[in-house]
Amino acid sequence: GVKWYDNTVGVITNSPPYPWHMDNLRNYPRFQRNDNGREGFKYSSLGDDYSLAPQWTGSGLLGLPGDYTSPSRFVKAATLLSLAPTPATTSDAIVQVFHHMNAADIPFGIVETGH
């Protein structure tokens, strides 16, 4: 049968059940907008100090699941919703909704279910 939950994260699911997903979110406590470790990789060699600057941005989301399993898509959707700024206009809101939907979308033909 159908079960209804007080959806506090704004993400829906069919399987695993919502309480399972909420428990699973506890495994990802550190996601944030700002980059972690932007100072780069620091090390010393033969008395000299070195620092290798990072080559990309987005390290605040390092470890965010990206596969097409239901748990990974739920974590990604919940994270994106929690970090997204409030849209300033209706047009911005529509664009944001489509970006969020695309982030959890499974492209046709990528996953073969055998059905």
Side-chain angles (χ1 to χ4, degrees):
V2 176
K3 292 196 176 190
W4 295 94
Y5 297 96
D6 183 19
N7 188 340
T8 57
V9 294
V11 179
I12 60 174
T13 182
N14 56 348
S15 178
Y18 184 77
W20 185 94
H21 284 291
M22 293 304 290
D23 250 357
N24 187 44
L25 284 177
R26 296 172 192 265
N27 293 312
Y28 304 94
R30 305 266 329 198
F31 293 141
Q32 55 190 354
R33 284 185 191 93
N34 62 328
D35 284 337
N36 294 319
R38 287 300 296 167
E39 66 276 359
F41 182 80
K42 295 181 179 192
Y43 66 101
S44 296
S45 177
L46 302 174
D48 292 322
D49 293 329
Y50 298 90
S51 179
L52 300 173
Q55 297 184 47
W56 51 78
T57 189
S59 63
L61 296 173
L62 188 64
L64 181 67
D67 61 54
Y68 294 114
T69 62
S70 179
S72 291
R73 290 183 293 131
F74 190 95
V75 169
K76 188 173 185 181
T79 300
L80 294 178
L81 282 173
S82 72
L83 297 179
T86 301
T89 66
T90 301
S91 294
D92 290 346
I94 292 169
V95 169
Q96 188 172 343
V97 164
F98 278 99
H99 281 295
H100 287 286
M101 287 182 357
N102 287 339
D105 186 11
I106 301 176
F108 181 75
I110 295 295
V111 177
E112 198 171 298
T113 63
H115 290 73

